[in-house]
Amino acid sequence: MVASNKSCDAFTDKVKRLVDSAKRNAQWRKQYMDWEREKTYSYKKGKEEQALESAKNLLNMNLGTPEQIAQAVGLHLEQVLELQKEAQASVTA
């Protein structure tokens, strides 16, 4: 069935009908697309959080200029400068 997409016995025929039915189910399709969209947003959010955490660590360790850190972790320079201000404010507080 996998190679030819044709069912050769009762079991694979039933599986093929169930798969075809699932493909036409609008509610399942919407749920799947919503799940995919949420997964993508979660991935992007996690990636940005990781970049912010990496930038904070590099700033705390004084490894590079803000420009170099922004380039290394893929953030905008303004974001790194803001993190630098926050780090300095927490040290003086």
Side-chain angles (χ1 to χ4, degrees):
M1 180 171 171
V2 174
S4 67
N5 199 24
K6 296 180 182 178
S7 56
C8 56
D9 60 22
F11 175 74
T12 56
D13 187 48
K14 183 177 179 180
V15 169
K16 183 170 177 29
R17 280 186 312 215
L18 290 171
V19 167
D20 289 340
S21 173
K23 285 181 181 179
R24 290 188 302 271
N25 188 318
Q27 181 182 4
W28 287 2
R29 290 175 69 116
K30 182 181 179 328
Q31 287 174 339
Y32 177 77
M33 293 306 295
D34 290 345
W35 175 74
E36 280 288 326
R37 188 177 317 117
E38 182 61 34
K39 188 173 72 167
T40 300
Y41 290 151
S42 296
Y43 175 79
K44 288 179 182 178
K45 183 179 177 187
K47 190 173 177 181
E48 183 175 351
E49 288 174 359
Q50 180 60 46
L52 290 170
E53 189 65 32
S54 295
K56 286 179 190 177
N57 290 337
L58 291 170
L59 286 168
N60 289 334
M61 296 168 56
N62 294 319
L63 293 176
T65 65
E67 292 83 5
Q68 291 169 328
I69 293 172
Q71 185 178 9
V73 299
L75 292 175
H76 294 286
L77 177 59
E78 294 79 21
Q79 291 175 294
V80 175
L81 292 172
E82 184 63 33
L83 290 173
Q84 188 178 39
K85 287 179 189 176
E86 290 173 10
Q88 290 171 349
S90 67
V91 169
T92 59

